[in-house]
Amino acid sequence: MRLPEFRLERYFARYEFNVKHVLCASDCQSLTLGELLDLEPGARDEFERLWLGYTESPGSPALRREIARLYATIGPDEVLVHSGAQEAIFVFMHAALQPGDHVIVHSPCYQSLRDVAAALGCQVSLWTAHEETGWALDMDEFKRLLRENTRAVVINTPHNPTGWLMPRGAFEELARITAERGILLFSDEVYRGLEENPAERLPAACDLGPHAVSLGVLSKSYGLPGLRIGWVATRDRRLLERMAAVKDYTTICNSAPSEFLATLALRRGEALLARNRAILAANRARADAFFERHQDRFRWVRPAAGPIGFPRLLAGDVEEFCRRLVEVAGVLLLPGTVYDVATPHFRLGMGRDDFPQVMDRLEEFLGRR
Ligand SMILES: Cc1ncc(COP(=O)(O)O)c(C=O)c1O
């Protein structure tokens, strides 16, 4: 198996920890270890008494119980914990797909959602979102992409990088069509819980049928990427067994301190989500006002959910724009080219506390040009 370079991760590797301001993060504002432990009386003492032996491969029972509570139909034995969402994507693809299988992938996308399947020798069809329709996926196009050997459909909503949220009717139709045809529906839901209008939150795919797999993580909506705790939830027990057998070759089991902290974070999950939604609401309003003032330079399709949006630069080369911005103002944006998008879009991250100040830096930079 030959994996191509992960363009987004290589771009971050170059800049993320040596620039002053990251304006393209896909995670929300994080916490310190102390702040997390302070959320529950007694947590600090308990953390110090934690045993640092190997942990249970599927994830600790307490953590899987908390994860199962996020879903309507899932029990703790229908959850498999991983080191971040990234490991779960890798393990799912290895467990579920064979060379020659046809896979339909939402595009543009977080690269592993497409390229692990491709590297395994699957035939990958891109189900492409277009800016002209607000980055919506077209159900008729999906039906045209289906083949006899379609084994899996991979979607991501709320979407990275556009912030598009699939309407509930389309999501349910997708779940129905895939169920009827015996196709796996792999639903990357790592930004779930950050809908601008909570009434638009989609059901989790795993609650719509045993053919569906929901991907979740503490990195994004909860703002705890340093824990590296992600999971899949599905009622397909055979798939979970196959995934567990693959995980034996990747991480075997998870970090005990991370599992402890993740369990605590999920017990306080609603409070963490509410905090990040409040940060996002203020920052989205700020972004709207900014793009209103700079309509001559950018086109802004408002994201409906999640911490990121994908504005378009109306004139100039987007890689050059991002390079100059980081060199002159120390502000990091992510050019759409890392998503293999040919149009001059870039990713903007709105989930962090310092967003207003960093947007001021961007505006200053624009003023100087
Ligand atoms: C849509 C999507 N899926 C999965 C991941 C991987 O998440 P993690 O960093 O928790 O492994 C990311 C990270 O950016 C993402 O945006």
Side-chain angles (χ1 to χ4, degrees):
M1 179 189 190
R2 257 221 158 74
L3 286 163
E5 183 173 90
F6 203 119
R7 297 184 68 184
L8 178 151
E9 297 300 342
R10 286 300 95 209
Y11 193 86
F12 272 125
R14 182 147 30 114
Y15 291 113
E16 186 179 5
F17 294 104
N18 54 32
V19 293
K20 285 211 191 93
H21 311 286
V22 176
L23 191 56
C24 54
S26 61
D27 46 14
C28 289
Q29 185 65 27
S30 201
L31 301 176
T32 63
L33 173 63
E35 285 167 337
L36 182 57
L37 289 171
D38 283 345
L39 293 179
E40 257 181 31
R44 199 175 294 263
D45 289 346
E46 214 187 314
F47 189 50
E48 284 189 6
R49 286 195 302 273
L50 183 72
W51 184 251
L52 292 178
Y54 277 109
T55 61
E56 292 190 32
S57 288
S60 81
L63 175 56
R64 282 183 290 127
R65 266 196 306 277
E66 287 306 320
I67 293 171
R69 270 194 243 280
L70 302 172
Y71 305 103
T73 62
I74 294 292
D77 293 343
E78 291 163 326
V79 170
L80 184 60
V81 181
H82 291 84
S83 294
Q86 183 73 305
E87 186 196 19
I89 294 168
F90 191 84
V91 168
F92 165 80
M93 303 266 175
H94 277 77
L97 303 175
Q98 301 282 337
D101 283 344
H102 178 235
V103 182
I104 298 174
V105 181
H106 186 171
S107 175
C109 64
Y110 187 67
Q111 191 173 334
S112 47
L113 294 172
R114 177 194 67 205
D115 281 352
V116 178
L120 282 166
C122 297
Q123 303 161 11
V124 173
S125 294
L126 300 181
W127 185 12
T128 303
H130 301 284
E131 185 188 28
E132 303 75 58
T133 51
W135 301 111
L137 290 176
D138 174 10
M139 283 307 287
D140 291 332
E141 188 185 340
F142 167 68
K143 290 172 197 162
R144 284 194 295 277
L145 291 173
L146 284 167
R147 295 186 197 162
E148 275 302 305
N149 64 336
T150 304
R151 172 79 182 124
V153 176
V154 177
I155 53 159
N156 166 220
T157 184
H159 183 230
N160 172 3
T162 68
W164 178 69
L165 182 63
M166 197 179 239
R168 180 183 273 253
F171 193 63
E172 287 171 352
E173 188 185 2
L174 182 64
R176 187 174 45 72
I177 296 173
T178 45
E180 280 165 9
R181 292 181 165 245
I183 295 171
L184 286 166
L185 175 59
F186 186 79
S187 177
D188 181 329
E189 300 168 0
V190 300
Y191 300 102
R192 191 160 178 259
L194 297 179
E195 299 75 13
E196 185 170 35
N197 174 1
E200 288 179 357
R201 183 174 309 169
L202 294 172
C206 61
D207 287 327
L208 297 181
H211 68 301
V213 180
S214 288
L215 176 67
V217 82
L218 280 166
S219 307
K220 309 296 182 183
S221 311
Y222 297 92
L224 296 167
L227 294 184
R228 308 308 301 132
I229 291 287
W231 60 87
V232 292
T234 179
R235 282 180 270 156
D236 184 340
R237 302 264 183 144
R238 289 195 42 222
L239 174 64
L240 280 179
E241 275 168 29
R242 290 203 302 278
M243 287 186 67
V246 175
K247 192 187 159 189
D248 289 340
Y249 279 92
T250 53
T251 57
I252 305 173
C253 63
N254 310 296
S255 141
S258 286
E259 288 204 329
F260 176 92
L261 296 168
T263 310
L264 162 58
L266 284 175
R267 277 199 300 269
R268 303 289 151 162
E270 272 314 313
L272 292 177
L273 287 179
R275 161 187 177 270
N276 288 335
R277 272 198 300 269
I279 294 174
L280 256 178
N283 290 349
R284 276 200 197 103
R286 188 119 192 168
D288 290 344
F290 172 91
F291 288 113
E292 182 75 29
R293 286 195 296 279
H294 295 285
Q295 287 178 35
D296 54 329
R297 291 184 196 246
F298 305 104
R299 185 180 309 147
W300 176 230
V301 175
R302 278 197 91 239
I308 51 190
F310 206 44
R312 183 188 188 115
L313 183 69
L314 293 178
D317 178 274
V318 74
E319 284 190 344
E320 173 63 10
F321 173 73
C322 293
R323 195 181 57 74
R324 294 269 309 142
L325 178 66
V326 77
E327 281 175 10
V328 174
V331 172
L332 186 68
L333 287 174
L334 188 65
T337 43
V338 303
Y339 288 86
D340 294 327
V341 168
T343 46
H345 288 88
F346 58 89
R347 184 171 98 179
L348 182 75
M350 298 171 286
R352 301 252 177 109
D353 261 352
D354 63 356
F355 183 79
Q357 295 84 302
V358 186
M359 285 300 272
D360 287 347
R361 303 292 295 251
L362 170 61
E363 202 149 24
E364 255 169 55
F365 170 80
L366 293 174
R368 271 192 259 141
R369 268 154 66 96

